[in-house]
């Protein structure tokens, strides 16, 4: 696959907040946006269900997800790599 085809898919980065389902993780993606009137920078967040197979992604891990064809009713994202493992305290 060439570099141009690969970059056409949207990629996001977020934290895994749930790994209780089989082959599915819930990823919380946060983004910072400027309020159109006030000008204050606010944090907006959204949760995505992502398909994970072969990779070990657990609660607290920072993962990269990319858009894909729908796997199920709620899953249209897949985990491409685990960027950072969660620190165990």
């Amino acid at each position: 696959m060439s570099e141009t085809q690969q970059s056409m898919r949207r990629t996001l980065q977020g934290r895994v907040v749930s790994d209780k389902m089989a082959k599915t993780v819930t990823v919380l993606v946060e983004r910072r946006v400027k309020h159109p009137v006030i000008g204050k920078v606010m944090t907006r967040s959204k949760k995505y269900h992502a398909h994970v197979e072969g990779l070990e992604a657990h609660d607290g891990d920072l993962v990269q997800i990319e858009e894909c064809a729908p796997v199920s009713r709620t899953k249209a994202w897949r985990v491409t790599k685990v960027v950072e493992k969660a620190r165990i305290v």
Side-chain angles (χ1 to χ4, degrees), residues 3 6-7 9-16 25 27-29 48-53 55-57 61-67 77-85:
E3 189 67 35
Q6 192 174 17
S7 65
R9 291 185 173 155
R10 290 192 298 164
T11 60
L12 299 172
Q13 205 170 26
R15 292 260 172 217
V16 176
V25 292
V27 180
L28 179 73
V29 176
Y48 296 94
H49 285 164
H51 185 73
V52 59
E53 200 165 0
L55 294 171
E56 289 294 320
D61 291 351
L62 184 67
V63 295
Q64 183 175 353
I65 59 175
E66 79 171 2
E67 204 171 21
W77 295 82
R78 95 173 112 235
V79 176
T80 54
K81 68 178 178 179
V82 178
V83 178
E84 177 185 292
K85 293 299 251 179

Side-chain angles (χ1 to χ4, degrees), residues 33-67:
V33 295
K34 190 173 183 180
H35 191 279
V37 176
I38 302 170
K40 180 180 179 179
V41 177
M42 302 180 302
T43 304
R44 294 282 179 229
S45 62
K46 187 170 179 180
K47 290 181 184 175
Y48 296 94
H49 285 164
H51 185 73
V52 59
E53 200 165 0
L55 294 171
E56 289 294 320
H58 299 291
D59 277 355
D61 291 351
L62 184 67
V63 295
Q64 183 175 353
I65 59 175
E66 79 171 2
E67 204 171 21

